[in-house]
Amino acid sequence: ETVMTQSPATLSVSPGYRATLSCRASQSVGSNLAWYQHKPGQAPRLLIYGASTRATGIPARFSGSGSGTEFTLTISTLQSEDFAVYYCQQYHNWPPITFGQGTRLEIK
Amino acid sequence: QVQLVESGGGVVQPGRSLSLSCAASGFTFSDYGIHWVRQAPGKGLQWVASISNRGHNKHYADSVKGRFTISRDNSKNTVYLQMNSLRDEDTAVYHCSKEVFPLFGGDAFDTWGQGTTVTVSS
């Protein structure tokens, strides 16, 4: 099983600033990496797939990079609605499809 | 618009069974693989099971293998998750989700339902 490790567990950033979230895979997942935003009581929202392709309707302030085992999600200028939990997911070595444990992005 | 709606959750005793449904609309259902993902209270997302667009290929997490069965009826645009021998640790919100690209081969999920809550408790 490919273990996905996200860091940090919690990130405190002020609105208007940049947030950088990391995700590491225990073995190569190529570019088969997605990022999701999840708010309480809502369905998770796909932000990025293929490591760097923004999903339909996702603002340009969200960007993804990386390949192999190291990945980054960057939110360039944080808006109030961006504070949520973010998950990475690999779909290269499956089954099982695996998620990271999540990074909670909170307002500083 | 593309939509997935789960139903069938509830409170059930350990060892009993429950069946979840996921009704789809707004896309060509028979073209896409569908997955179930759950979130236990205070925990992260966990993939549970998947089924290919025609239903021929199915995969399960080790934690549910032999207890859960995924199936689909393309004439009804619905995927099912039959959950038997339920355990306390199966307590979670269960979401169904749709793959980004048609056919089936492991993919990101571009559409998720709101989820249905399953509580296993005596």
Side-chain angles (χ1 to χ4, degrees):
Chain A
E1 173 176 324
T2 302
V3 177
M4 307 302 291
T5 303
Q6 292 185 240
S7 60
T10 304
L11 182 62
S12 299
V13 182
S14 301
Y17 284 74
R18 174 188 299 258
T20 302
L21 289 67
S22 297
C23 176
R24 174 176 292 179
S26 61
Q27 60 186 295
S28 176
V29 300
S31 294
N32 294 312
L33 189 286
W35 289 95
Y36 298 87
Q37 178 190 71
H38 195 197
K39 297 180 180 179
Q42 297 186 16
R45 178 191 184 197
L46 176 65
L47 301 174
I48 302 286
Y49 63 93
S52 60
T53 302
R54 272 190 303 277
T56 302
I58 301 303
R61 65 180 182 273
F62 291 91
S63 63
S65 63
S67 66
T69 62
E70 299 284 343
F71 300 89
T72 300
L73 174 70
T74 301
I75 311 171
S76 59
T77 307
L78 278 167
Q79 308 294 309
S80 58
E81 61 267 29
D82 298 336
F83 293 95
V85 179
Y86 290 82
Y87 294 95
C88 62
Q89 171 214 27
Q90 70 82 23
Y91 48 95
H92 184 74
N93 305 311
W94 81 290
I97 286 174
T98 50
F99 293 86
Q101 81 280 15
T103 290
R104 180 176 303 277
L105 180 58
E106 62 177 31
I107 300 175
K108 185 174 183 180
Chain B
Q1 75 278 22
V2 178
Q3 192 172 15
L4 298 171
V5 179
E6 304 92 341
S7 61
V11 180
V12 61
Q13 293 179 328
R16 305 298 288 258
S17 299
L18 204 60
S19 180
L20 306 183
S21 297
C22 170
S25 60
F27 63 101
T28 305
F29 182 70
S30 60
D31 281 352
Y32 290 87
I34 300 292
H35 299 246
W36 286 95
V37 177
R38 68 186 180 184
Q39 183 175 33
K43 302 294 185 181
L45 300 174
Q46 181 192 23
W47 174 80
V48 174
S50 62
I51 188 166
S52 60
N53 61 311
R54 299 292 184 181
H56 299 310
N57 295 303
K58 305 174 185 180
H59 300 289
Y60 300 92
D62 284 347
S63 58
V64 307
K65 201 172 294 184
R67 300 187 300 121
F68 288 14
T69 302
I70 190 170
S71 61
R72 68 189 294 161
D73 185 340
N74 284 350
S75 69
K76 296 182 178 179
N77 284 6
T78 301
V79 169
Y80 306 95
L81 186 68
Q82 176 65 39
M83 304 185 296
N84 299 332
S85 303
L86 282 161
R87 305 168 180 168
D88 290 350
E89 55 264 34
D90 295 321
T91 294
V93 175
Y94 285 73
H95 299 273
C96 59
S97 56
K98 164 191 163 293
E99 292 189 338
V100 173
F101 294 107
L103 304 181
F104 180 73
D107 201 353
F109 309 145
D110 64 354
T111 302
W112 297 61
Q114 288 285 95
T116 187
T117 302
V118 173
T119 303
V120 184
S121 174
S122 54

